[in-house]
Structures are given as C-alpha cells and as structure tokens.
Amino acid sequence: MGVQRPMASVATRRRRSPGPERSPRRWICGRPHPAGGTVAANTPLVPLLASRAVLVRFPFATGYLDRSGLPQEVDWIAVDLEQLERYGVAFRGDWKQLRKARRWLAAHRDSHRVQAINSGVVVLQRDGIQHPDLEAALDRQLERPLPADPRRRR
C-alpha cells in the first residue's frame, strides 16, 4: 500500500512523477507483480523490470545463484512473444529467441502458470494459480506456426 499524499487544488496542481504504487515499472500486462519477486524477462521488458534485485534474460536463463551461491529458479517469467515474432521475420537473433522461448514455454507448462497475456506479452508465475482461459490463449499463441528462419529465406 502506497503513501497517501494530500490533495492539491486544481489551480496549484503540478505534474508529478507517479508514485511507486502507480509506476509502470511495477506493471506488465496491466497487473502488478510483487516488488521482491525474481524475474526472467526478454530484452524489451528488461528496462521495465530493472529495479528488481534479481532479473535474468529470458530465454537464456530462468535460474540464478543467490547470495549464498545456491541455485534458485525465478518466480516470474515475462516474455514479449509478439515483438519477437515481428522482428524474427527479419532478424535471425530474434527468430532464435522466439523459437527457444516457445520451446521453453511448451516444456514448462506444468510448473509455470499463465497469469496475464496482453498485446503479445505473456507473464507466468512458478507454481501460480491456473487460469484456464489464459492457458487456452497461450495454447493458441503457441500453435501458430513459427515464422520462417530469415537466414534460409534468401
């Protein structure tokens, strides 16, 4: 719960930056994520989540070593599949990330549950609550054919 500020009159109201409770950095797909949650996100989402104590790049990693040196898995996965599809048509690096991300998502559906999908951004939580409508939406997204490899179309 954020700190409440006194209301300013309309005449003296100045534009202020949003408080931490309204900051877009706490929101992906229109839903807040716990400030202490660990995240794996693909490159376009990293700036939005950069204030986290643990943030690794998905699909390259979903685990990390904690301060004790013990391996841990992240709590959240956030991936912008739509952007990877859009750029994967022209850039092989994005196409390979899309292929790897889709394979990872298909292989980890039992341990990671979809919590939100919006504009191609998928957010999953490890051992999260199952939402059948969101799981079905991800199924439809994963059933779409992978774009052709840009290197092989020449």
Side-chain angles (χ1 to χ4, degrees), residues 65-79:
L65 296 177
D66 66 11
R67 292 176 189 227
S68 303
L70 299 173
Q72 303 290 327
E73 287 295 313
V74 295
D75 300 319
W76 296 89
I77 305 289
V79 58

Side-chain angles (χ1 to χ4, degrees), residues 20 25-26 32-39 49 51-54 75-76:
R25 294 177 189 273
R26 293 202 56 217
H33 303 292
T38 57
V39 179
L49 300 163
S51 63
R52 304 264 174 169
V54 177
D75 300 319
W76 296 89

Side-chain angles (χ1 to χ4, degrees), residues 40-42 45 58-59 77-82 84 101 105 120-124:
N42 69 323
L45 301 176
F58 183 83
I77 305 289
V79 58
D80 189 343
L81 293 174
E82 185 175 291
L84 289 174
L105 292 171
V121 177
V122 179
V123 177
L124 299 100

Side-chain angles (χ1 to χ4, degrees), residues 37-112:
T38 57
V39 179
N42 69 323
T43 305
L45 301 176
V46 166
L48 298 172
L49 300 163
S51 63
R52 304 264 174 169
V54 177
L55 174 62
V56 296
R57 282 190 56 216
F58 183 83
F60 307 109
T62 57
Y64 64 98
L65 296 177
D66 66 11
R67 292 176 189 227
S68 303
L70 299 173
Q72 303 290 327
E73 287 295 313
V74 295
D75 300 319
W76 296 89
I77 305 289
V79 58
D80 189 343
L81 293 174
E82 185 175 291
Q83 184 174 25
L84 289 174
E85 283 184 22
R86 190 172 352 152
Y87 286 100
V89 173
F91 301 104
R92 189 151 200 270
D94 287 332
W95 181 85
K96 287 169 68 175
Q97 284 185 45
L98 175 62
R99 181 182 63 184
K100 188 171 184 171
R102 289 174 63 157
R103 286 178 179 169
W104 190 95
L105 292 171
H108 292 85
R109 297 297 291 280
D110 56 334
S111 61
H112 290 73

